[in-house]
Amino acid sequence: MTVIGVHASHEQVHPSALLEAVRRAEEVGFDAAMSSDHFSPWSSRQGQSAFAWSWLGAALQATSLPFGVVNAPGQRYHPAIVAQAIGTLGAMFPGRFWAALGTGEASNEHITGEAWPRKDVRAARLRECVDVIRALLAGEEVSHDGLVRVDRARLWTRPAEPPPLVGAAVSEATARWCAGWADGLITVNAPVEHLKRVVGAYRDAGGGGPLYLQVHLSWAESEEEASAVAHEQWRSNVFGPPVCWDLETVEHFDVVSERVTSEQVAAVVNVSSDLGRHVALLREYVGLGFDGLFLHHVGQEQERFLDVFGARVLPGVRA
């Protein structure tokens, strides 16, 4: 049975309200949750960006759901600190936590004042970070001199079983690369043919473990409201790489998205007031082989979405 979880978007919702949302998600029948981990939102309209790791401890304690987080070690986060965070949550909540690791975005990483590297350098840096994190979670003392530097680091609090380290990818090439090191793969909703290629690239390269899909959607009682919510909140998020990787500030995203249309938003967000259409789309994703779907309603108001999807969409997908 495919796990159906909810995505906790720190860039759009205050952490206290987000905590209430994941509590409610569990009550209405969601199986799991995942969390973003950004320093900055993509738009001033979104207006939040809490520290995910503090929130994750509270959310794991407040629910019995398993949680994941998407993290970018190497610049804003030293890999030893990421390993310590993963190890602590894994020790406190055994079997309930996973971390997806990616190369990051300049909008979060530029705050260190360091230069934003080329994509190939970021990928090489992430690979070093993965090796450091795995070694630390295995109980080794780690020293490393490369794109990241580590001096005699050791984790004193570790889980009996290291949490899975999942690869984050949106392209076939990155999915193929992740197969060499990841315990699973997470990607975002896209046209079905593209998703088939991403899944195939990962599996054909020997990638194992679960496949996760983050699904951006907008639902309301009317098509007009669903479209308006998506356009208001998510029009800064329609840009593919390298634009989304390389813009540095909220102001940059707001300027480049001034002329984005509702139709452009609908190309990256499943916008519909028709619950049957949402059921059909989610069932199609299940048919592609995804082991977990994490639903992200791109509006800031979450309770109505959770209640309606819990009552009328989740049962339809699971039928």
Side-chain angles (χ1 to χ4, degrees), residues 21-101:
V22 293
R23 284 191 182 121
R24 186 62 181 160
E26 182 174 33
E27 290 172 358
V28 302
F30 283 84
D31 303 313
M34 65 170 285
S35 167
S36 56
D37 178 12
H38 284 232
F39 193 83
S40 172
W42 295 274
S43 168
S44 59
R45 297 179 306 278
Q46 294 170 340
Q48 299 286 336
S49 210
F51 185 57
W53 295 93
S54 300
W55 182 87
L56 280 162
L60 283 156
Q61 179 64 31
T63 72
S64 61
L65 298 175
F67 275 78
V69 67
V70 182
N71 174 264
Q75 188 159 327
R76 179 171 48 119
Y77 288 108
H78 191 279
I81 300 303
V82 174
Q84 187 181 33
I86 292 171
T88 297
L89 291 179
M92 293 181 70
F93 305 101
R96 291 179 54 201
F97 182 70
W98 52 269
L101 304 179

Side-chain angles (χ1 to χ4, degrees), residues 75-143:
Q75 188 159 327
R76 179 171 48 119
Y77 288 108
H78 191 279
I81 300 303
V82 174
Q84 187 181 33
I86 292 171
T88 297
L89 291 179
M92 293 181 70
F93 305 101
R96 291 179 54 201
F97 182 70
W98 52 269
L101 304 179
T103 55
E105 298 176 356
S107 61
N108 304 302
E109 311 306 322
H110 78 90
I111 62 167
T112 65
E114 299 174 41
W116 180 235
R118 301 185 311 272
K119 173 62 174 175
D120 61 320
V121 177
R122 301 199 305 270
R125 181 173 68 181
L126 174 59
R127 190 66 180 85
E128 290 183 18
C129 289
V130 170
D131 290 343
V132 167
I133 292 167
R134 285 202 188 280
L136 288 168
L137 290 171
E140 300 175 23
E141 181 178 280
V142 176
S143 294

Side-chain angles (χ1 to χ4, degrees), residues 241-256:
V243 175
C244 60
W245 292 338
D246 293 342
L247 293 182
E248 292 186 343
T249 70
V250 166
E251 290 77 16
H252 291 163
F253 279 97
D254 281 339
V255 167
V256 300

Side-chain angles (χ1 to χ4, degrees), residues 131-199:
D131 290 343
V132 167
I133 292 167
R134 285 202 188 280
L136 288 168
L137 290 171
E140 300 175 23
E141 181 178 280
V142 176
S143 294
H144 178 82
D145 294 290
L147 293 169
V148 293
R149 300 187 67 186
V150 185
D151 179 40
R152 294 166 292 177
R154 176 183 171 188
L155 291 186
W156 292 88
T157 299
R158 296 182 295 111
E161 292 291 331
L165 302 182
V166 174
V170 296
S171 71
E172 295 171 65
T174 302
R176 192 175 298 111
W177 174 73
C178 287
W181 60 265
D183 299 321
L185 188 77
I186 187 166
T187 189
V188 297
N189 62 295
V192 167
E193 291 305 314
H194 176 78
L195 291 176
K196 286 180 180 178
R197 292 192 296 270
V198 169
V199 168

Side-chain angles (χ1 to χ4, degrees), residues 220-303:
E221 281 86 354
S222 71
E223 287 294 316
E224 293 77 11
E225 184 184 354
S227 179
V229 166
H231 186 257
E232 195 271 340
Q233 277 293 295
W234 213 246
R235 66 178 179 266
S236 298
N237 296 68
V238 303
F239 307 103
V243 175
C244 60
W245 292 338
D246 293 342
L247 293 182
E248 292 186 343
T249 70
V250 166
E251 290 77 16
H252 291 163
F253 279 97
D254 281 339
V255 167
V256 300
S257 63
E258 283 179 351
R259 298 182 184 276
V260 169
T261 66
S262 294
E263 290 73 23
Q264 287 174 285
V265 176
V268 298
V269 178
N270 295 339
V271 179
S272 182
S273 62
D274 182 351
L275 294 173
R277 173 165 170 72
H278 287 289
V279 170
L281 288 168
L282 296 173
R283 288 179 66 87
E284 190 169 21
Y285 297 145
V286 171
L288 296 178
F290 285 100
D291 303 288
L293 306 179
F294 291 88
L295 311 190
H296 172 210
H297 171 53
V298 300
Q300 291 176 307
E301 196 281 318
Q302 295 289 301
E303 186 174 359

